[in-house]
Amino acid sequence: MKRLFAILLLGGLLGGCASNGDNDSRLGSAEAAALYEAAENAADRSDWETAISELETLQAQFPFGLYATQAQLNIIHAYYKVGEVASTVAAAERFRRINPRHKAVPYTWYMQGLALEEKNNSAVKDWVGVDSTLRDPVPRRQAFQAYSTLVEDYPDSDYADDAQARIDALYEDGARYQLSVARFYADRDAWVAAAQRAITVIEAFDGTAAVEPAMDLLIDAYRALELDDLAEGVVAVRDQRPATDDGDVPETPTLYEEETTEVPPAPESGGAPSGGGMGSGGMGSPTGGF
């Protein structure tokens, strides 16, 4: 009898523990859902700072589960919207590290490239006519690498076509940047350095509009250095090139000044929390699927 009583008592205790565990789990899910909904509501009204705060809290307090995974995605988009490039890149890299096989990995590469590509852009620079493509080339080179990874590893993703178009534009930007540096040296009669940069344009950026003016500059550099034979050799090669309609490259290209980018919000994980339509600035699913 005592043995039976002990068994029943143990069963009651275990049942009570299980019930408490279920209650804790439901309470945690409710709190996670509330944080996620608060972040969604903030995003819908374009209050990105609040959205980031809610998403960061969600990830810190509930690091596992569907809400956490979706929060990892959504915060990439939110960081991008407030112009926090380093945080956008770090969040994208973190998502890939934690979820290397997730279907949204192409999206993270796309957002990483987009943030880096636009790092030097700002409304003030556009207003005063500063051409960001002729400034620090490192972020754009990193963007080029991010887009290239997306196109090469995920050619069938929804973001591959736009990434390829951006690769082509960044390739042109790289040529323009190198040509602008060559002209900088030429204006200061630093002909050896000017020639080296012009050669870089010709060899590394073949097919761009910057090649022909780079050849003209190289001819000038060789003549200034009294290397007439080399100058005539470049003239001969230039004259054999097919004519293009591109003409000279403008000193201040305006490739991005009129461009507006519709950034896709974070895609939803399979079976992830519902809701979150795009609205005026929310973080729901993009058009189409993976």
Side-chain angles (χ1 to χ4, degrees):
M1 187 70 179
K2 291 182 179 179
R3 189 174 181 182
L4 177 61
F5 177 76
I7 292 173
L8 292 174
L9 178 61
L10 178 62
L13 290 173
L14 291 175
C17 292
S19 177
N20 289 338
D22 290 343
N23 288 337
D24 290 344
S25 177
R26 284 195 292 269
L27 180 60
S29 295
E31 292 177 356
L35 288 168
Y36 181 84
E37 184 177 0
E40 286 283 272
N41 291 337
D44 285 339
R45 60 179 184 269
S46 297
D47 182 1
W48 298 107
E49 296 290 352
T50 299
I52 289 171
S53 177
E54 299 291 351
L55 291 170
E56 288 177 339
T57 301
L58 172 57
Q59 292 182 81
Q61 295 184 3
F62 306 97
F64 306 106
L66 292 176
Y67 285 106
T69 302
Q70 191 64 38
Q72 293 165 15
L73 273 176
N74 289 2
I75 205 166
I76 298 171
H77 182 240
Y79 281 141
Y80 169 82
K81 295 297 288 187
V82 297
E84 294 187 15
V85 177
S87 295
T88 304
V89 173
E93 292 175 344
R94 179 174 182 269
F95 183 88
R96 293 194 296 271
R97 186 169 61 252
I98 297 173
N99 312 281
R101 298 184 183 278
H102 197 282
K103 66 179 182 179
V105 165
Y107 170 83
T108 68
W109 280 114
Y110 180 79
M111 291 303 298
Q112 180 171 330
L114 206 60
L116 289 164
E117 180 184 345
E118 298 177 7
K119 184 175 182 179
N120 292 328
N121 294 357
S122 73
V124 174
K125 289 180 179 178
D126 289 344
W127 183 70
V128 299
V130 174
D131 179 24
S132 60
T133 66
L134 302 184
R135 297 301 183 263
D136 181 11
V138 174
R140 290 179 180 272
R141 189 180 305 128
Q142 294 170 336
F144 185 97
Q145 293 169 349
Y147 291 142
S148 296
T149 300
L150 168 57
V151 170
E152 292 170 5
D153 294 352
Y154 307 96
D156 297 327
S157 78
D158 287 349
Y159 310 102
D161 289 344
D162 188 64
Q164 183 59 61
R166 292 177 179 278
I167 287 172
D168 296 341
L170 287 169
Y171 185 68
E172 291 282 350
D173 283 351
R176 295 182 186 200
Y177 176 81
Q178 295 295 335
L179 180 60
S180 72
V181 175
R183 285 171 167 164
F184 174 86
Y185 287 130
D187 290 342
R188 288 153 182 79
D189 294 331
W191 293 110
V192 173
Q196 290 173 338
R197 290 287 180 155
I199 291 171
T200 296
V201 175
I202 296 167
E203 292 183 345
F205 297 94
D206 186 33
T208 66
V211 170
E212 187 171 337
M215 297 183 80
D216 292 338
L217 190 150
L218 183 58
I219 293 167
D220 293 340
Y222 281 152
R223 286 174 175 165
L225 295 168
E226 299 182 353
L227 300 172
D228 294 333
D229 290 344
L230 291 177
E232 292 306 315
V234 178
V235 169
V237 173
R238 182 196 61 188
D239 292 345
Q240 292 175 0
R241 288 173 57 84
T244 64
D245 295 330
D246 294 314
D248 199 0
V249 177
E251 294 292 342
T252 307
T254 57
L255 183 62
Y256 292 102
E257 288 183 4
E258 301 300 327
E259 181 181 15
T260 57
T261 303
E262 280 296 326
V263 183
E268 290 189 359
S269 306
S274 61
M278 290 183 64
S280 61
M283 298 180 288
S285 298
T287 302
F290 288 91

